[in-house]
Amino acid sequence: MPGDTVPAWAPKAALVGGTAALIVTLKYLSSKKTVEGGGVKKEVKAGGGKHESHEAGISVKASQVHQVAEYIADAGAKWDAKVKAEDVNKVGELSKYLAFQGEYKTSFAARPDVGEGVLVKVTDWKLLTPEDYDRTCFHVEFDIAGTSIEHLCNGAHGTALSVYSTNDAKKVQEFLQAMKLDPQAVVPVDEIAPQEEDGMTVLTTVEKLFTQYLDLFGKPTREFLKKLFPYAVDIQEKVAIAELTLERKMEDFQDRQARALTFADYFLEFPSLKIPVEKYAELVPTIKQRVYSICSSTDYRPGKCQLLVVREDWQAKGGDTKYGLCSSFLTFVRSGQWCVAHSTHSVMHMPEDKSVPVFMAGLGTGLAPFRAFVEQRRHEKSKGITVGPLTLFFGGRYSKAEYYYRDEFELYEREGLVKCCNAWSRDTSKKVYVQHKIMEEDEAIWRDLGREGSKGAFFLCGSKQPEKDVFAAIARDLPGQGRPVRGAGPREDGRAPGGGALRDGGLLS
């Protein structure tokens, strides 16, 4: 191919084979046809994901197709017609399927194994904590306008967002080089992304298989080792791997777990491993979704979905700092980038009665759904609807570093929309926690949650550790009220002793 002659399909070829978040779905001639770069494909499995229409009328399938087209248009434009022949040649056999899309019925997909997943574009990212702080907490926004999840991502209506991350591209490249795997080789992935239509296959490159699908840097179980040892050629390595599956070697395996060894670490540790590239999908599980509380109301912010996220980190045995895959992925995404996501049901659903008083206890990023609650009430109030009072108990360490969305909440409080009762445990020598602030509001809690016939609701979201202390603060005797809250816990129907609702949302962020 002449270096200065680029066919019309070349930009897509370079995108799909290079940096795009896409793989190829195509029609092939026989269900037993050999796919170049892979092997003999098995019969396509049925049930690749049920596509249902959402309330606005657009189906998930139609939304997926539309978002992929939007992605190609957006990402393709960034190539600025500078695609060269060598860029196209790198994608190897994929070029053929892209050059003859009609004959092969070629289409594009992002994580076709995720039936409800759609590509969404990042439109905002803001760091909320100081750059030199020991925690990295940030705000990220996605454009969901026109997608199948546009009306399914209201954080005030009991929904959360499932995000599918990708592995670090540099670490994947280093792994492939060490394992002597060709990143541009084409492989079928029907085992993990079965197609609904007979005669269809799903192809991707080795690089994309390890970047977007396989949880290469996840923590393996002993079942993985049972599958792994047959691939070792060296007998000593074969025995060493097999022994780690035995009860007498449990302590050694647990030590490896404590040091947070990954699938990649095991592959690299035993150099005699000879694993056909298509077999990695049988050894390593796919990257699963991470569920995050949505911190915005789509009624208040149409077409937008916002998250409040903290980058998860921990110390492994030996002192190495490890980071959560998805929170790290979101830490480094910026406006203009894309990812796969879908809505997920959550228990954090505001009462249907908009006049009901609502108490909210948010610990750290547990603040997320309650920001959506306040936005929803602000929207309803702007429409002339009578709304009940909101009381927010927010807990953190330092107000200067961890008062997320301070300007917003101070504005809402001045408007009389919400009462903020913040607890900062490290601001002074006296440690102040959320339960202390709850006890200061005993009159309101008794009136709206504890007394007979009350209809108020209390929500808790955040770390599970202070849950008992928070409930004890709610259910304790209330001085000056003349009578205690009856009972030591919620009723069997999950409501407070007087009738108000208690709900623990856990920490999704």
Side-chain angles (χ1 to χ4, degrees), residues 125-139 308-313 323 327-328 330-332 334 365 397 401-402 404 509:
W125 190 99
K126 295 176 183 176
L127 181 65
L128 299 180
T129 48
E131 290 186 3
D132 58 351
Y133 200 52
D134 63 354
R135 291 180 185 173
T136 301
C137 189
F138 54 92
H139 165 96
L308 170 62
V309 183
V310 63
R311 189 184 188 191
E312 299 174 359
D313 64 81
Y323 297 96
S327 62
S328 292
L330 291 174
T331 298
F332 297 107
R334 292 297 182 268
T365 52
R397 295 181 301 171
E402 297 182 17
Y404 315 127
S509 296

Side-chain angles (χ1 to χ4, degrees), residues 186-488:
V186 178
V187 290
V189 289
D190 298 295
E191 289 298 315
I192 52 181
Q195 293 298 290
E196 296 173 338
E197 183 181 341
D198 289 340
M200 297 297 292
T201 189
V202 183
L203 301 181
T204 190
T205 62
V206 168
E207 182 178 24
K208 291 192 183 306
L209 176 65
F210 284 93
T211 303
Q212 298 173 18
Y213 275 91
L214 303 184
D215 192 12
L216 183 61
F217 304 107
K219 188 182 293 187
T221 65
R222 288 201 295 172
E223 287 301 313
F224 159 72
L225 296 175
K226 292 177 182 178
K227 297 177 182 178
L228 181 65
F229 80 83
Y231 293 103
V233 175
D234 183 88
I235 188 63
Q236 291 183 327
E237 290 187 6
K238 188 185 293 284
V239 171
I241 299 172
E243 283 192 334
L244 287 172
T245 69
L246 303 177
E247 288 301 316
R248 62 185 176 85
K249 287 289 186 176
M250 175 62 78
E251 187 174 337
D252 290 347
F253 177 73
Q254 290 178 336
D255 178 73
R256 288 166 169 265
Q257 293 290 87
R259 288 188 283 122
L261 265 64
T262 67
F263 290 98
D265 290 327
Y266 279 99
F267 290 136
L268 295 171
E269 181 180 351
F270 302 100
S272 79
L273 288 169
K274 301 297 181 186
I275 307 172
V277 67
E278 65 271 14
K279 293 297 183 181
Y280 280 95
E282 298 177 12
L283 295 171
V284 184
T286 55
I287 296 172
K288 301 301 188 292
Q289 76 268 31
R290 185 75 167 88
V291 183
Y292 293 93
S293 295
I294 296 171
C295 71
S296 58
S297 161
T298 47
D299 287 333
Y300 186 71
R301 301 177 189 273
K304 302 295 182 183
C305 177
Q306 300 178 338
L307 305 180
L308 170 62
V309 183
V310 63
R311 189 184 188 191
E312 299 174 359
D313 64 81
W314 68 94
Q315 294 292 316
K317 183 178 180 180
D320 290 342
T321 300
K322 302 295 181 180
Y323 297 96
L325 175 61
C326 194
S327 62
S328 292
F329 168 75
L330 291 174
T331 298
F332 297 107
V333 298
R334 292 297 182 268
S335 295
Q337 294 179 256
W338 298 70
C339 72
V340 175
H342 63 73
S343 63
T344 299
H345 289 295
S346 165
V347 299
M348 307 302 286
H349 196 303
M350 292 191 79
E352 294 294 333
D353 185 347
K354 297 172 176 55
S355 66
V356 165
V358 175
F359 298 91
M360 307 163 287
L363 311 173
T365 52
L367 175 67
F370 304 134
R371 178 175 179 263
F373 280 25
V374 178
E375 288 189 348
Q376 185 65 29
R377 282 279 170 96
R378 194 172 197 240
H379 167 75
E380 291 163 352
K381 188 175 181 179
S382 71
K383 298 298 182 181
I385 299 172
T386 301
V387 298
L390 298 172
T391 304
L392 172 65
F393 303 101
F394 177 48
R397 295 181 301 171
Y398 301 99
S399 59
K400 289 185 178 180
E402 297 182 17
Y403 194 173
Y404 315 127
Y405 308 110
R406 176 196 290 265
D407 292 344
E408 291 182 15
F409 282 106
E410 289 180 348
L411 170 63
Y412 299 153
E413 190 166 31
R414 288 196 300 270
E415 293 177 346
L417 189 64
V418 61
K419 180 176 183 180
C420 296
C421 306
N422 301 320
W424 308 110
S425 62
R426 308 287 177 84
D427 270 0
T428 64
S429 58
K430 181 181 179 181
K431 294 186 181 298
V432 180
Y433 296 106
V434 161
Q435 56 266 31
H436 299 137
K437 292 296 181 179
I438 291 173
M439 288 187 283
E440 292 176 5
E441 297 298 316
D442 52 7
E443 291 186 16
I445 289 175
W446 170 257
R447 180 186 67 244
D448 298 326
L449 195 66
R451 69 181 178 182
E452 196 68 34
S454 58
K455 296 182 179 180
F458 194 107
F459 294 84
L460 169 65
C461 186
S463 171
K464 300 289 288 185
Q465 186 175 358
E467 180 179 333
K468 291 182 179 179
D469 293 331
V470 169
F471 183 77
I474 301 170
R476 87 195 209 303
D477 290 355
L478 301 177
Q481 302 306 316
R483 52 181 173 174
V485 171
R486 291 160 291 170

